Amino acid sequence: MFRTPQEAAEALYAAIPHALSRATLEDYGIEAEAGQAQQITQELLSLSLFWIHCALEAVLPPKPRELVLGELRGCILSGWGSDLALVGLDAQRYFQEAEERRRIYAQAMQEGASPVMIATETAAILGANSAVQQEDRVKVVALATDLVPVDELGELAEQIRLLG
């Protein structure tokens, strides 16, 4: 059980995928240069943040939810260069883009999209940004489906019992 926003944020952060190694990408048949791997990492982070937001929305009122999300943002910023290997990329710009992704994914959910369909949207974004070849989009869907723990994030959110 998580009693502080920081405890909750740390658990959520630990559950999501971090920097994707070349070996992990190759396991899925995806060849990517360092910059492309960073783009894929960012998109999986955005997808994870979307699912975290959904999970928190289901279990917490707005103010506590924002406290947890604020702490999570701090975890992401702390791990930006290390855990996430996003050195050289603008974190503030990323958070703006992640919010845009959240709106795209939320719209798709309102239209009845499943988690796999949301992952397909992630693959489409990566294809459009030339981070992956168009023919690798199905591989990205598999990667996102395997690495972004939608159910686990929901279970973690259900364990949040903030004090005070």
Side-chain angles (χ1 to χ4, degrees):
M1 204 169 311
F2 310 112
R3 300 207 180 273
T4 69
Q6 183 174 353
E7 288 175 349
E10 288 171 356
L12 292 164
Y13 180 73
I16 62 175
H18 292 100
L20 296 176
S21 68
R22 177 173 261 151
T24 298
L25 293 172
E26 287 174 358
D27 286 346
Y28 287 86
I30 301 168
E31 291 185 29
E33 300 297 323
Q36 292 168 306
Q38 284 183 320
Q39 284 183 284
I40 296 168
T41 296
Q42 283 186 307
E43 290 304 330
L44 291 187
L45 179 59
S46 296
L47 182 60
S48 297
L49 288 173
F50 168 72
W51 290 119
I52 289 169
H53 194 275
C54 289
L56 294 177
E57 209 167 54
V59 299
L60 293 176
K63 186 171 181 167
R65 180 174 59 237
E66 291 307 316
L67 291 173
V68 172
L69 290 171
E71 290 291 339
L72 180 58
R73 183 181 176 120
C75 291
I76 291 167
L77 289 171
S78 292
W80 190 256
S82 55
D83 299 339
L84 298 168
L86 296 173
V87 174
L89 300 178
D90 184 344
Q92 298 310 317
R93 181 172 171 207
Y94 164 75
F95 283 113
Q96 292 170 349
E97 290 173 1
E99 182 57 27
E100 288 175 33
R101 301 292 188 264
R102 191 183 69 73
R103 285 193 291 270
I104 291 167
Y105 297 149
Q107 179 64 36
M109 284 280 291
Q110 286 179 348
E111 295 170 2
S114 68
V116 172
M117 293 169 77
I118 300 292
T120 301
E121 184 65 34
T122 299
I125 291 167
L126 286 165
N129 292 339
S130 301
V132 297
Q133 300 295 319
Q134 291 298 328
E135 59 269 15
D136 286 343
R137 287 170 55 173
V138 172
K139 298 171 186 173
V140 172
V141 172
L143 175 80
T145 302
D146 288 350
L147 297 185
V148 178
V150 178
D151 293 337
E152 182 183 348
L153 294 172
E155 291 165 9
L156 288 170
E158 289 174 359
Q159 295 178 36
I160 299 172
R161 303 285 185 272
L162 300 182
L163 297 175

